[in-house]
């Protein structure tokens, strides 16, 4: 009697994808790439943390950045100081400029696993995008062709780099 694998090709591919993304994340961490790089994604991560801890997207650090920029602007009126992290609300409060939905969706992941949770959030997001892409491709192509197209999207674009760390791109 011949043994056959009863697990479908898409399920096997999804499992292989998860293993691959875990290995990619492990490699990136060993190379010293930070989970939350010091760019706007760090502020989105802070908004997730703030939402989990205080229940609001208002990040306390925004005030310090805002006041620093005001002081620098007053001391050098001819200079131009710019930031793209937060916006001033109607009442003068500071809110995240971008990534609000991401901060809201990632908050439970941060609450459960900290910065590692933000990485898991990105992996889950990319896997959901790829599953949707596969399902859409499957409507017009064979399973193997849809899987090849999905693999091309993952490996042929910069999408894979969004799986490590916490990315707003």
């Amino acid at each position: 009697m011949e043994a056959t694998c009863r697990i479908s090709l898409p399920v096997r591919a999804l499992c292989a994808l998860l293993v691959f993304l875990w290995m990619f994340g492990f490699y990136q961490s060993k190379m010293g790439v930070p989970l939350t790089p010091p760019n706007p994604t760090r502020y989105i991560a802070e908004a997730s943390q703030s939402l989990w801890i205080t229940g609001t997207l208002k990040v306390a650090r925004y005030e310090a950045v805002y006041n620093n920029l005001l002081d620098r602007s007053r001391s050098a009126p001819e200079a131009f100081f710019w930031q793209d992290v937060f916006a001033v609300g109607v009442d003068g409060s500071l809110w995240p400029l971008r990534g609000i939905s991401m901060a809201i969706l990632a908050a439970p992941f941060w609450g459960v696993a900290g910065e590692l949770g933000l990485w898991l959030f990105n992996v889950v997001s990319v896997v959901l995008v790829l599953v949707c892409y596969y399902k859409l491709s499957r409507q017009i192509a064979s399973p193997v062709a849809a899987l090849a197209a999905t693999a091309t999207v993952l490996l042929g674009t910069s999408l894979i780099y969004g799986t490590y760390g916490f990315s707003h791109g």
Side-chain angles (χ1 to χ4, degrees):
M1 184 169 184
E2 189 176 311
T4 59
C5 182
R6 296 184 186 265
I7 301 173
S8 68
L9 178 65
V11 173
R12 285 185 283 170
L14 182 62
C15 292
L17 172 67
L18 291 173
V19 169
F20 174 74
L21 292 178
W22 178 83
M23 289 173 29
F24 181 77
F26 183 76
Y27 171 76
Q28 291 285 81
S29 69
K30 289 299 177 192
M31 295 302 293
V33 178
L35 274 171
T36 51
N39 60 21
T41 59
R42 177 71 236 159
Y43 291 98
I44 297 170
E46 289 175 0
S48 291
Q49 295 166 6
S50 175
L51 182 61
W52 184 261
I53 294 168
T54 66
T56 180
L57 287 170
K58 295 179 185 177
V59 177
R61 193 160 81 106
Y62 289 176
E63 285 292 328
V65 172
Y66 182 68
N67 291 332
N68 181 14
L69 290 173
L70 284 178
D71 292 342
R72 290 171 64 189
S73 180
R74 286 185 192 114
S75 66
E78 69 284 350
F80 180 73
F81 298 100
W82 178 75
Q83 61 80 28
D84 66 345
V85 176
F86 53 83
V88 180
V90 175
D91 61 350
S93 59
L94 304 174
W95 296 92
L97 185 61
R98 65 169 75 89
I100 293 174
S101 60
M102 232 181 119
I104 293 169
L105 292 172
F109 287 83
W110 185 87
V112 170
E115 285 199 355
L116 181 63
L118 298 177
W119 172 64
L120 292 173
F121 171 76
N122 271 11
V123 169
V124 168
S125 299
V126 169
V127 167
L128 286 175
V129 166
L130 291 173
V131 166
C132 290
Y133 188 84
Y134 173 81
K135 294 266 187 192
L136 287 171
S137 299
R138 184 63 189 97
Q139 291 181 4
I140 59 170
S142 70
V144 173
L147 197 56
T150 305
T152 302
V153 167
L154 176 66
L155 301 173
T157 66
S158 63
L159 182 65
I160 190 170
Y161 295 106
T163 62
Y164 179 77
F166 187 61
S167 171
H168 68 289

